[in-house]
Amino acid sequence: MSVRRQAATTRSVDRADLVGAASALLADGHRLAMIACHEHTDVFRIVYLFTAAAAQGAGERQGESSGARPVVRPVELVVTVPVQDAWVPSLAAESFAAGQFEREMFDLYGVVPHGHPLPHRLLRHAHWPHSWHPMRRDSREIPPFAPDTAAFPFVEVEGAGVYEIAVGPIHAGIIEPGHFRFSVVGETIVRMESRLWFLHRGVEKLFEGRRPAEALALAEQITGDTSIGHSLAFAMAVEAAAGIPVPEEDRLVRALLLELERLYNHVTDLGALANDAAFGIANIHAQRLRERLMRLNRDVAGHRLLRGCLTIGGARLRSRPEPDELREIAREVAGLVDITLTHPIVLDRFTGTSVLRTEQALEVGALGPVARASGVQIDARRDLPFVDLGDSWEIAVESGGDVLARYLVRAREFEISARVCVDIIERLGGRGGRGRAGRASGAGAGNAFVEAWRGTLVHRVELSDDGTLSRVKIVDPSFLTWPALPIALADTIVPDFPVTNKSFNLSYAGNDL
């Protein structure tokens, strides 16, 4: 079975036509994957990137041959607005994700979304200067910040017996800051609101002016636990922009690395979920298996987080994993899952806890295991594949939408990913990738969708005439999935917040770029 990757179809639209054009795409089964703003001398150029599931993709409707896997042709709507009249009509009424992207764009660039139902800040907390937008060209001189004393606009829940519990922003361990405000009656959560974006590291700004090969190391560090996911999406976007081909051998190596990253993260979550249900012994064994996988990563890549294997135009392993070791680890994980789910207390804690219904997941735009546990079949390995994974791969989907479903999706994905890894190693034979490096020269734009372990992440890259990066826009799946957590927590008891939060396991760093 062959794989045909397709570049985005780009259409320029006026502000007056934007809502109609976007609504038509959404009605046709597309979803908004990104809004990327670009600053020029006297205008902002705003790119709205849409994609869709393969079952609804244009390729199938146009009758692709049975020998090719049907893929999606992404669509870009491009709107240009004057810097002195920087506004666009809001799409928030059509798409919840659009409302989030628009608030982000206003905070970073100052482009106003007219008609937005919730126009207050998203990234910039109240102490940020009002007229300072950090992605603008004139933002290099940082003005004074006021003390962070202003009230955040949490919705206050009133009524008999209602009280509030505040969690964070500082947490135990090494996770980054996030604040959660619970309105509770007894032990039942009536409403939970989150406040994120405490850091804003300026990652997208750091890419500007760099050569793509030099920027790979930065892409690897966007989120530490998704080094391959982000660096692969970045490399693929650069390759699309510069027209750099990647041999199939190297694409197979990339797929292997992506699945190895999925393995060690999923087994970590399987153990942590059991631990939050007070089944610590399962977590101890999960962490033992995680350590085996991390040591395997070190042998394969020379780095426990798999860094250093990718190039612009290729990939190369230091050594290949032993298939028998992967099979053995997969058998142990399957046994651990069986032990965990036959424990009556654990099963009781997981079942029916924090349900995210299918329609809720779709409305918010959730991605990854969270969405697939709610019956939403969305996966870039099927919808926008960069290599044929063969018959060893399938989508793991559950319909329950609760903690149990999210656990089962991860367990099933571990089994599938281990099988895919073994299959790829056998297909590679004695090869480990050529690792050839291509060089970007000349202007161009490209985007890439990669199914990382948390879900579909997207990078969009634009190159200047000299081949340096003029703009890199990044969407981690956590940005779109965080809003689903408060929805799932409605009517959940406070003691089940940790196990619910872990069943989502979203990234603070990927969200707060």
Side-chain angles (χ1 to χ4, degrees):
M1 183 183 294
S2 63
V3 172
R4 292 209 295 266
R5 294 185 62 235
Q6 295 178 316
T9 299
T10 301
R11 292 161 44 195
S12 295
V13 296
D14 294 330
R15 281 189 287 205
D17 300 323
L18 174 62
V19 174
S23 298
L25 287 170
L26 293 168
D28 196 35
H30 287 71
R31 67 175 181 88
L32 180 62
M34 170 185 287
I35 297 179
C37 187
H38 304 259
E39 182 183 9
H40 300 279
T41 303
D42 54 358
V43 298
F44 289 114
R45 179 170 48 87
I46 304 164
V47 178
Y48 297 76
L49 177 62
F50 293 82
T51 187
Q56 301 169 330
E60 280 195 327
R61 287 195 301 273
Q62 293 172 1
E64 289 193 81
S65 66
S66 59
R69 175 175 295 172
V71 295
V72 177
R73 189 177 183 89
V75 177
E76 293 181 344
L77 300 180
V78 181
V79 178
T80 302
V81 300
V83 169
Q84 300 304 319
D85 188 28
W87 66 270
V88 290
S90 175
L91 300 178
E94 312 298 325
S95 160
F96 180 87
Q100 295 289 94
F101 285 127
E102 289 167 351
R103 292 170 65 191
E104 176 195 45
M105 181 170 60
F106 171 74
D107 280 355
L108 296 180
Y109 284 94
V111 178
V112 178
H114 274 190
H116 197 293
L118 193 67
H120 66 256
R121 297 178 179 189
L122 186 71
L123 276 64
R124 297 184 303 153
H125 289 201
H127 65 299
W128 283 62
H130 279 267
S131 59
W132 190 64
H133 303 279
M135 285 296 291
R136 296 277 293 265
R137 293 177 180 176
D138 59 3
S139 67
R140 296 194 178 277
E141 187 171 336
I142 302 175
F145 277 51
D148 191 7
T149 57
F152 186 77
F154 286 108
V155 173
E156 293 187 10
V157 178
E158 298 179 346
V162 177
Y163 64 99
E164 288 186 348
I165 301 173
V167 177
I170 305 303
H171 303 274
I174 61 172
I175 64 173
E176 297 190 20
H179 179 70
F180 304 100
R181 184 75 59 89
F182 298 86
S183 296
V184 181
V185 175
E187 286 192 323
T188 302
I189 300 169
V190 178
R191 183 184 181 89
M192 190 279 275
E193 290 192 71
S194 60
R195 184 189 194 194
L196 305 171
W197 297 284
F198 280 83
L199 296 182
H200 186 68
R201 296 168 293 149
V203 171
E204 293 178 355
K205 194 78 169 178
L206 292 174
F207 279 99
E208 293 180 3
R210 300 190 184 212
R211 295 208 167 272
E214 300 166 351
L216 257 177
L218 176 58
E220 288 178 329
Q221 298 174 72
I222 292 170
T223 56
D225 56 16
T226 316
S227 297
I228 291 297
H230 275 291
S231 58
L232 177 54
F234 171 73
M236 288 170 56
V238 170
E239 291 153 6
I244 298 172
V246 182
E248 183 184 26
E249 177 184 337
D250 293 56
R251 286 184 280 121
L252 283 169
V253 168
R254 290 175 168 190
L256 174 61
L257 292 166
L258 191 63
E259 297 310 310
L260 288 174
E261 184 168 78
R262 198 179 319 276
L263 288 177
Y264 87 78
N265 279 294
H266 275 359
V267 77
T268 304
D269 281 354
L270 294 174
L273 278 163
N275 193 59
D276 280 339
F279 196 31
I281 189 66
N283 185 45
I284 291 171
H285 283 288
Q287 300 313 312
R288 173 180 60 82
L289 294 168
R290 175 185 185 272
E291 179 60 23
R292 285 186 65 182
L293 289 165
M294 298 293 279
R295 294 182 183 187
L296 184 149
N297 289 349
R298 182 193 59 199
D299 294 339
V300 166
H303 196 288
R304 287 166 63 88
L305 299 178
L306 298 167
R307 294 177 183 171
C309 288
L310 300 182
T311 62
I312 303 298
R316 186 166 183 82
L317 305 176
R318 288 180 54 170
S319 66
R320 291 174 302 282
E322 287 296 330
D324 286 344
E325 183 176 10
L326 288 170
R327 292 188 186 101
E328 181 186 345
I329 293 172
R331 283 193 296 268
E332 288 201 48
V333 170
L336 188 61
V337 168
D338 185 60
I339 292 170
T340 300
L341 295 182
T342 53
H343 194 295
I345 294 176
V346 175
L347 191 59
D348 180 68
R349 289 287 301 279
F350 287 3
T351 304
T353 299
S354 301
V355 175
L356 181 70
R357 299 192 305 275
T358 302
E359 60 271 22
Q360 293 171 327
L362 287 169
E363 184 175 356
V364 170
L367 297 169
V370 172
R372 292 192 285 274
S374 295
V376 179
Q377 293 200 30
I378 182 169
D379 194 308
R381 290 171 291 181
R382 179 198 65 187
D383 302 334
L384 286 159
F386 61 88
V387 72
D388 180 14
L389 294 178
D391 295 335
S392 59
W393 179 80
E394 59 185 294
I395 296 180
V397 179
E398 293 286 332
S399 59
D402 55 2
V403 170
L404 177 61
R406 293 186 280 275
Y407 181 94
L408 289 171
V409 165
R410 285 181 171 85
R412 180 67 176 142
E413 287 193 352
F414 189 98
E415 175 192 347
I416 293 168
S417 291
R419 192 169 67 221
V420 168
C421 287
V422 170
D423 183 56
I424 291 175
I425 294 166
E426 292 174 348
R427 289 166 65 184
L428 284 169
R431 301 172 297 168
R434 305 178 189 182
R436 297 185 303 187
R439 182 177 177 83
S441 59
N447 57 66
F449 296 76
V450 167
E451 192 64 25
W453 68 276
R454 280 194 178 96
T456 307
L457 57 82
V458 190
H459 281 225
R460 188 178 189 279
V461 163
E462 293 204 357
L463 301 172
S464 301
D465 291 335
D466 61 358
T468 59
L469 297 162
S470 61
R471 179 77 168 98
V472 176
K473 174 61 185 167
I474 303 158
V475 180
D476 187 274
S478 295
F479 181 83
L480 295 171
T481 309
W482 268 114
L485 178 61
I487 296 171
L489 281 167
D491 296 326
T492 299
I493 61 173
V494 173
D496 279 340
F497 169 66
V499 73
T500 301
N501 194 28
K502 178 53 65 178
S503 74
F504 276 69
N505 194 14
L506 303 175
S507 174
Y508 295 91
N511 185 69
D512 188 8
L513 299 171

